């Protein structure tokens, strides 16, 4: 009989836990999933490099139906107590929205019931007493308030499966299920908050699909605020609706469809347009899904609200990344509290959204202000009002052409130092500002513009040529345009997956607008090496990061001084509406100057010198806090979280059979060893880097360690061939480090393959176990 205490965790799963679940009636193929990774691992950025943190991985997730996770089980080996995995399992259950949480060591189960309906929250169950699917489903429905058979059928309807194996991510599944459950309980107004870049449209599609297929909602209207969004939705995520779907275009109403997509503007506006939606009877639609619902439906006097009020008997689901809560406008007043929220901070933490660095650049005239001399006139001969002009006036009432040139120069410097073809969006104050910025960038990039005139484009709502390039800008496969200057057109709904640089030269006072703009860069595209992005801020907009309503701070803030490069040093040491319906404000002539708001005059000056006074970089830290610490500080703090003392680290290092596994663990916690070695010294082993940086020990180079082993002369106990192998391995260690000599495959490459086959070399030690023992001994001598 095998000693249970000696079994691995995997053996405990396969011999005890899985059989107990199967015996309780769970289906192995459709209801039980083992070792489920449900996050990607946070992207950790240091300098120009990045790594991935650890993924969250549950030992078991049990599903009532493929789309309804209902229980999580954390397994431990039998040397642990029955409840040892409970706290970890509760953490996972909270994230996944799962009510029934189990911990097991193979002797039985500890059940934690999160519904609040059980007689006691935690109870121990014998191995043969694991609950059946129907028992947990009964309790789940009671917890959710899903009482009727019709409601249950709606909730049980599976999501759309295209056969490629694509399934909703855990937070999308949470969002879909929470909305479906709210609909099943006859809730009429529903709000769903999901950060930009987390797949709101795909989530909306799955919600509509399940409600449509279950028959709970027969005729559905999807409203969006941009034509490009409606077309993208129809051609991509909503494609499976096929012939049941149509797009409403002006004055063309066909009541034979079931799924309708429409631009708000197509059913609102002048009286004639408003009559279009009135061609439908008020009870025609069962469900209306409002995309980017913060942009209009939240305001009581909004024209969009008229549409919603006309179809008031339908269920209304609002989708937004940024619910509006101001004195005048409230999403939650209309929709109620969100049934689910997935924030930018959580998305970055899970590794589904890209983190970012912030480069803050302060310009002298913005910070110190500028005052005209008495009677001074601008380029157009206007006498300039005598007062101090500061940052809030720049590009609004005062245009300093040299300031525009300086901003364009810093953008160009950054791109030249990183990648001149990084997709870049420059947010300006208005169309006039966006045009001046385009000109300045064209003049600073003559060779790139000669290569292709679309290297820099102004993409604003007033001009067709630029607007037509929006598709090419957001298409990862199209190189041009590279730089887009804009004001409002690109703040929302522009899916710029490969945007690596966002430039803020715009006055942003609204948290909603700020989050939308930041969202332009948060998508990850691994195929195009887009894992993180940079924000260059010229107007102190990123001070909104400190606002309590913001939920995802940057990885770096850098403030260059004077002539400093706008590119953050690899790891500094700690100083480190619209014309055309698209929300642009348009500049027009008046009083000899430029006016783009009633009564606001712009003075234009071409000869006022400007210069940079401060530049700073900060990183987005693991707790979602801004950190300006160096790589050494970060390493020290991270390692000391895992190892309180040098002795503790030394014990772990010497006990670990494969040092590569410990090195991978350090990297998973965000310790970037390659740049650390470049900063401290390339000739140091990981062991010495950690001992030196985290615990202040004097380091030895790999060569010094190898020489120390040679002095001990212990190789003499081996035969000639074995001794030669060990001497060569020692040389390899001195050149490349410990990971390579631990891998037995090293014996198949030069210079080993000239010494004999791998099999012969291993035989010289008396077989594989003896060879591995010799490697262990070599490591003991190396780190003695």
């Amino acid at each position: 009989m095998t000693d249970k205490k000696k079994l691995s965790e995997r053996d405990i799963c396969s011999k005890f836990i899985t059989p107990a679940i199967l015996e309780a009636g769970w289906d192995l193929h459709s209801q039980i999933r083992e070792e489920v990774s449900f996050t990607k691992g946070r992207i950790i950025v240091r300098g120009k490099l990045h790594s991935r943190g650890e993924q969250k991985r549950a030992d078991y997730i049990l599903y009532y139906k493929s789309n309804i996770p209902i229980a999580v089980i954390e397994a431990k080996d039998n040397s642990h107590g029955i409840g040892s995995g409970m706290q970890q399992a509760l953490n996972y259950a909270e994230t996944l929205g799962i009510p029934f949480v189990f911990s097991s060591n193979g002797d039985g189960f500890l059940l934690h019931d999160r519904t609040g309906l059980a007689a006691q929250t935690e109870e121990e169950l014998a191995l043969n007493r694991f609950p059946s699917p129907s028992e947990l489903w009964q309790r789940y429905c009671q917890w959710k308030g899903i009482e009727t058979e019709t409601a249950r059928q709606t909730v049980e309807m599976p999501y759309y499966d295209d056969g490629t194996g694509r399934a909703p991510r855990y937070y999308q599944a949470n969002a879909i299920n929470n909305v479906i459950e709210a609909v099943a309980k006859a809730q009429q107004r529903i709000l769903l908050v999901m950060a930009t870049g987390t797949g709101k449209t795909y989530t909306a599609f799955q919600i509509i699909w399940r409600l449509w297929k279950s028959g709970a909602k027969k005729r559905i209207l999807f409203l969006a605020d941009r034509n490009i969004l409606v077309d993208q939705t129809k051609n991509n995520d909503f494609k499976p609706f096929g012939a049941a779907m149509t797009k409403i275009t002006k004055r063309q109403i066909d009541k034979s469809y079931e799924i309708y997509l429409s631009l708000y503007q197509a059913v609102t506006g002048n009286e004639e347009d408003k009559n279009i939606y009135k061609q439908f009877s008020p009870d025609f639609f069962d469900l209306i899904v409002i995309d980017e619902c913060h942009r209009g439906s939240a305001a009581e006097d909004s024209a969009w609200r008229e549409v919603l009020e006309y179809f008031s008997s339908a269920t209304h689901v609002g989708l937004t990344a940024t619910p509006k809560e101001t004195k005048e406008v409230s999403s939650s007043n209309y929709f109620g509290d969100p049934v689910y929220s997935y924030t930018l901070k959580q998305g970055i933490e899970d590794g589904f959204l890209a983190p970012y660095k912030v480069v803050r650049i302060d310009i002298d005239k913005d910070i110190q202000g500028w005052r005209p001399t008495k009677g001074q006139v601008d380029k157009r001969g206007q006498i300039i009002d005598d007062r101090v002009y500061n940052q809030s006036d720049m590009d609004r009432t005062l245009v300093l052409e040299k300031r525009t040139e300086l901003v364009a120069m810093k953008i160009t410097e950054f791109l030249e130092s990183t990648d001149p073809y990084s997709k870049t969006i420059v947010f300006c104050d208005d169309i006039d500002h966006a045009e001046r910025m385009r000109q300045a960038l064209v003049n600073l990039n003559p060779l790139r513009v000669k290569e292709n005139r679309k290297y820099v484009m102004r993409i604003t709502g007033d001009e067709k040529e630029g607007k037509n390039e929006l598709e090419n800008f957001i298409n990862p496969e199209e190189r041009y345009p590279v730089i887009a200057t804009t004001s409002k057109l690109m703040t929302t709904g522009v899916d710029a997956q490969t945007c690596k640089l966002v430039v803020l030269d715009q006055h942003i006072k609204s948290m909603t607008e700020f989050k939308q703009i930041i969202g332009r860069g948060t998508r990850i595209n691994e195929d195009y090496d887009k894992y993180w992005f940079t924000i260059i801020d010229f107007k102190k907009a990123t001070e909104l990061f400190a606002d309590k309503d913001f939920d995802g701070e940057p990885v770096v803030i850098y403030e260059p001084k004077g002539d400093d490069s706008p590119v953050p040093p690899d790891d500094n040491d700690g100083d480190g509406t619209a014309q055309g319906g698209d929300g642009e404000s348009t500049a027009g002539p008046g009083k000899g100057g430029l006016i783009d708001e009633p009564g606001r005059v712009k003075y234009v000056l071409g000869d006022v010198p400007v210069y940079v006074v401060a530049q700073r970089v900060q990183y987005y830290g693991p707790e979602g806090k801004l950190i300006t610490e160096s790589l050494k500080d970060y390493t020290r703090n991270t390692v000391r979280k895992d190892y309180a003392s040098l002795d503790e680290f030394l014990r772990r290092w010497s006990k670990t059979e494969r040092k590569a596994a410990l090195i991978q663990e350090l990297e998973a916690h965000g310790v970037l060893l390659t740049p650390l070695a470049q900063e401290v010294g390339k000739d140091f082993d990981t062991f010495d880097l950690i001992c030196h940086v985290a615990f202040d020990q004097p380091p030895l180079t790999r060569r010094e360690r190898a020489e120390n082993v040679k002095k001990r002369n212990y190789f003499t106990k081996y035969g000639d061939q074995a001794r030669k192998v060990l001497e060569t391995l020692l040389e390899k260690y001195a050149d490349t480090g410990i990971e390579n000599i631990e891998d037995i495959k090293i014996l198949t490459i030069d210079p080993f393959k000239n010494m004999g086959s791998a099999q012969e070399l291993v035989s010289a030690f008396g077989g594989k176990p003896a060879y591995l023992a010799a490697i262990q001994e070599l490591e003991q001598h190396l780190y003695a």
Side-chain angles (χ1 to χ4, degrees):
M1 178 86 179
T2 312
D3 181 356
K4 204 172 183 181
K5 291 271 184 273
K6 289 184 178 169
L7 292 177
S8 69
E9 186 183 295
R10 271 287 95 206
D11 284 338
I12 291 291
C13 289
S14 58
K15 289 179 168 54
F16 297 97
I17 298 175
T18 304
I21 303 167
L22 292 171
E23 199 183 319
W26 294 83
D27 182 82
L28 183 63
H29 302 292
S30 64
Q31 292 183 308
I32 302 170
R33 284 183 64 201
E34 292 189 60
E35 296 192 297
V36 188
S37 293
F38 55 90
T39 69
K40 290 273 280 184
R42 187 173 65 90
I43 293 170
I44 300 150
V45 182
R46 283 291 169 278
K48 292 175 183 173
L49 297 173
H50 73 273
S51 68
R52 283 263 189 198
E54 289 173 286
Q55 297 182 335
K56 284 190 175 178
R57 189 152 109 188
D59 289 328
Y60 292 83
I61 298 178
L62 305 185
Y63 297 78
Y64 181 67
K65 296 280 184 181
S66 62
N67 51 307
I68 306 169
I70 195 170
V72 63
I73 307 171
E74 190 57 34
K76 295 292 175 194
D77 65 41
N78 200 249
S79 63
H80 289 80
I82 196 168
S84 291
M86 183 52 77
Q87 295 195 144
Q88 192 179 345
L90 282 167
N91 176 354
Y92 296 163
E94 209 167 63
T95 302
L96 297 165
I98 287 174
F100 307 112
V101 192
F102 296 86
S103 170
S104 178
N105 64 353
D107 288 342
F109 296 95
L110 179 67
L111 162 62
H112 182 111
D113 187 325
R114 297 179 63 230
T115 66
L117 301 171
Q120 60 187 72
T121 305
E122 290 195 354
E123 63 170 321
E124 280 197 26
L125 305 172
L127 266 184
N128 63 355
R129 295 295 304 135
F130 195 84
S132 68
S134 57
E135 188 184 333
L136 289 188
W137 180 237
Q138 194 64 36
R139 288 155 77 173
Y140 181 93
C141 291
Q142 193 186 345
W143 172 53
K144 288 286 192 176
I146 305 162
E147 305 296 348
T148 67
E149 192 53 41
T150 309
R152 289 190 185 192
Q153 280 172 0
T154 302
V155 171
E156 288 178 24
M157 178 57 58
Y159 56 75
Y160 173 77
D161 184 350
D162 63 3
T164 63
R166 180 187 182 185
R169 291 169 171 170
Y170 87 83
Y171 63 85
Q172 293 170 337
N174 285 356
I176 296 161
N177 287 339
N178 285 16
V179 172
I180 301 284
E181 285 160 5
V183 171
K185 289 188 288 186
Q187 191 174 317
Q188 283 293 86
R189 303 289 176 262
I190 299 165
L191 181 63
L192 182 56
V193 177
M194 290 172 73
T196 302
T198 55
K200 281 200 299 295
T201 314
Y202 172 71
T203 302
F205 160 71
Q206 291 288 9
I207 290 167
I208 295 169
W209 178 270
R210 282 174 62 185
L211 292 172
W212 180 58
K213 278 290 180 187
S214 69
K217 301 292 174 188
K218 293 180 175 64
R219 287 191 289 215
I220 295 150
L221 173 63
F222 179 84
L223 285 173
D225 70 331
R226 291 273 165 87
N227 209 29
I228 188 171
L229 289 184
V230 175
D231 291 339
Q232 275 175 4
T233 301
K234 185 170 185 282
N235 298 331
N236 299 329
D237 287 320
F238 279 39
K239 202 172 184 179
F241 288 124
M245 170 176 60
T246 187
K247 176 185 171 184
I248 296 176
T249 49
K250 288 202 170 185
R251 284 179 278 286
Q252 289 176 2
I253 295 299
D254 182 339
K255 296 176 188 173
S256 64
Y257 292 92
E258 294 172 69
I259 313 288
Y260 292 80
L261 282 74
S262 175
L263 198 63
Y264 282 105
Q265 291 88 324
V267 291
T268 61
N270 60 38
E271 282 311 309
E272 194 180 359
D273 289 340
K274 282 182 187 176
N275 288 333
I276 292 166
Y277 69 83
K278 289 186 178 171
Q279 291 176 41
F280 294 107
S281 63
D283 60 358
F284 184 83
F285 292 110
D286 307 309
L287 174 70
I288 301 180
V289 178
I290 306 102
D291 193 26
E292 306 288 3
C293 67
H294 63 278
R295 280 177 69 92
S297 56
E300 284 185 33
D301 58 354
S302 140
W304 306 354
R305 185 68 77 86
E306 277 188 43
V307 181
L308 299 185
E309 281 169 0
Y310 181 77
F311 298 115
S312 62
S313 64
T315 303
H316 297 172
V317 176
L319 306 176
T320 181
T322 48
K324 263 194 183 174
E325 294 303 323
T326 66
K327 283 176 190 167
E328 297 77 31
V329 176
S330 169
S331 304
S332 60
N333 272 359
Y334 184 79
F335 290 104
D337 292 331
V339 292
Y340 185 70
S341 290
Y342 189 68
T343 63
L344 175 62
K345 183 177 178 180
Q346 190 62 51
I348 293 173
E349 192 56 44
D350 288 342
F352 294 120
L353 293 180
Y356 44 92
K357 300 178 182 184
V358 172
V359 179
R360 283 185 182 159
I361 299 181
D362 291 337
I363 294 171
D364 65 325
K365 299 299 182 289
D366 293 21
I367 304 304
Q368 296 154 11
W370 175 84
R371 186 177 177 181
T373 55
K374 194 173 181 188
Q376 186 171 352
V377 295
D378 77 344
K379 281 180 87 171
R380 294 182 175 79
Q382 299 178 107
I383 293 179
I384 302 166
D385 283 352
D386 184 15
R387 65 178 180 84
V388 174
Y389 294 82
N390 57 27
Q391 193 160 47
S392 60
D393 296 295
M394 295 302 161
D395 300 300
R396 291 166 73 80
T397 48
L398 182 71
V399 173
L400 300 180
E401 289 178 342
K402 290 197 180 301
R403 186 190 176 286
T404 309
E405 287 163 19
L406 177 63
V407 169
M409 186 181 80
K410 286 290 175 187
I411 296 167
T412 302
E413 273 178 30
F414 184 90
L415 290 172
E416 287 292 340
S417 307
T418 52
D419 170 11
Y421 297 99
S422 288
K423 296 272 182 170
T424 300
I425 306 177
V426 187
F427 286 99
C428 303
D429 264 310
D430 53 40
I431 286 172
D432 163 57
H433 184 196
E435 173 54 27
R436 285 186 291 105
M437 189 61 71
R438 183 197 68 78
Q439 291 170 26
L441 284 162
V442 164
N443 287 333
L444 284 165
N445 292 276
L447 296 178
R448 307 268 176 224
V449 173
K450 191 179 175 190
E451 237 173 63
N452 191 306
R453 70 176 179 85
K454 293 177 180 176
Y455 181 76
V456 186
M457 293 290 289
R458 169 168 63 88
I459 299 180
T460 46
D462 68 316
E463 194 235 20
K464 200 174 172 187
E465 175 76 14
K467 251 172 119 173
N468 288 345
E469 288 302 320
L470 186 54
E471 278 282 356
N472 291 328
F473 181 81
I474 63 181
N475 182 351
E477 291 178 14
E478 291 289 342
R479 172 169 269 193
Y480 301 103
V482 174
I483 305 173
T485 69
T486 189
S487 62
K488 293 284 190 291
L489 179 62
M490 297 174 76
T491 53
T492 63
V494 175
D495 188 3
Q497 299 171 24
T498 51
C499 175
K500 290 186 180 178
L501 180 62
V502 173
V503 179
L504 304 178
D505 198 25
Q506 184 181 95
H507 295 80
I508 303 166
K509 293 297 174 215
S510 142
M511 179 56 71
T512 299
E513 189 174 19
F514 179 61
K515 279 187 180 177
Q516 290 287 351
I517 285 174
I518 299 309
R520 295 315 100 217
T522 53
R523 283 170 175 80
I524 291 168
N525 189 318
E526 297 187 4
D527 295 341
Y528 291 86
D529 198 33
K530 160 71 189 299
Y531 291 91
W532 51 277
F533 68 109
T534 305
I535 298 166
I536 301 185
D537 177 19
F538 291 95
K539 296 246 173 104
K540 287 191 180 295
T542 52
E543 286 183 355
L544 285 166
F545 283 135
D547 190 298
K548 65 177 174 48
D549 293 331
F550 193 75
D551 58 20
E553 294 89 341
V555 286
V556 174
I557 288 196
Y558 163 54
E559 288 188 353
K561 294 181 174 58
D563 294 329
D564 289 353
S565 163
V567 181
D570 265 5
D571 286 290
N572 65 39
D573 278 323
D575 298 315
T577 342
Q579 202 172 350
D582 283 305
E584 302 284 359
S585 62
T586 314
K591 283 193 179 176
L594 292 166
I595 301 179
D596 59 3
E597 280 176 17
R600 174 149 72 78
V601 179
K602 271 188 182 176
Y603 302 110
V604 181
L605 289 138
D607 55 358
V608 176
V610 294
Y611 59 91
V612 170
V613 288
Q615 193 161 319
R616 180 167 60 126
V617 182
Q618 281 187 336
Y619 286 94
Y620 179 100
E623 309 302 322
K625 299 289 178 216
L626 285 174
I627 49 175
T628 40
E629 65 188 339
S630 70
L631 187 57
K632 287 182 190 174
D633 292 338
Y634 180 81
T635 303
R636 183 186 185 94
N637 293 338
T638 304
V639 171
R640 286 189 161 204
K641 272 184 198 163
D642 291 334
Y643 306 101
S645 66
L646 175 62
D647 283 347
E648 208 177 302
F649 176 71
L650 293 176
R651 272 198 305 277
R652 176 74 199 284
W653 184 270
S654 60
K655 269 175 68 181
T656 303
E657 278 187 23
R658 284 191 71 250
K659 307 296 184 259
L662 184 51
I663 290 166
Q664 281 169 357
E665 193 179 292
L666 288 165
E667 287 179 331
H669 289 188
V671 176
L672 295 183
L673 295 165
T674 306
L676 188 66
Q678 286 168 347
E679 198 172 300
V680 177
K682 290 180 187 174
D683 299 328
F684 297 125
D685 192 297
T686 299
F687 175 80
D688 283 282
L689 286 173
I690 298 301
C691 290
H692 174 61
V693 171
F695 302 108
D696 303 313
Q697 297 300 304
L700 292 177
T701 64
R702 290 192 300 270
R703 176 62 59 193
E704 285 169 330
R705 287 197 176 279
E707 291 302 325
N708 286 345
V709 173
K710 285 179 189 172
K711 285 176 197 166
R712 295 194 188 104
N713 208 20
Y714 85 92
F715 291 168
T716 51
K717 68 180 185 180
Y718 292 99
D720 284 351
Q721 193 171 28
R723 188 167 68 244
K724 200 173 174 194
V725 169
L726 288 171
E727 283 167 355
T728 312
L729 283 169
L730 198 56
E731 277 303 306
K732 277 281 181 193
Y733 164 80
D735 287 341
T736 63
I738 195 71
E739 296 102 310
N740 289 331
I741 74 163
E742 286 189 331
D743 189 344
I744 201 164
K745 290 195 188 106
I746 198 170
L747 300 178
T748 61
I749 59 173
D750 287 334
F752 296 98
K753 67 179 185 186
N754 301 325
M755 295 156 64
S757 72
Q759 200 172 352
E760 286 167 359
L761 298 182
V762 169
S763 299
F765 290 85
K768 190 174 177 182
Y771 171 78
L772 295 174
I775 298 297
Q776 287 290 114
E777 190 182 11
L778 176 60
E779 289 186 351
Q780 283 161 14
H781 281 280
L782 274 170
Y783 300 113

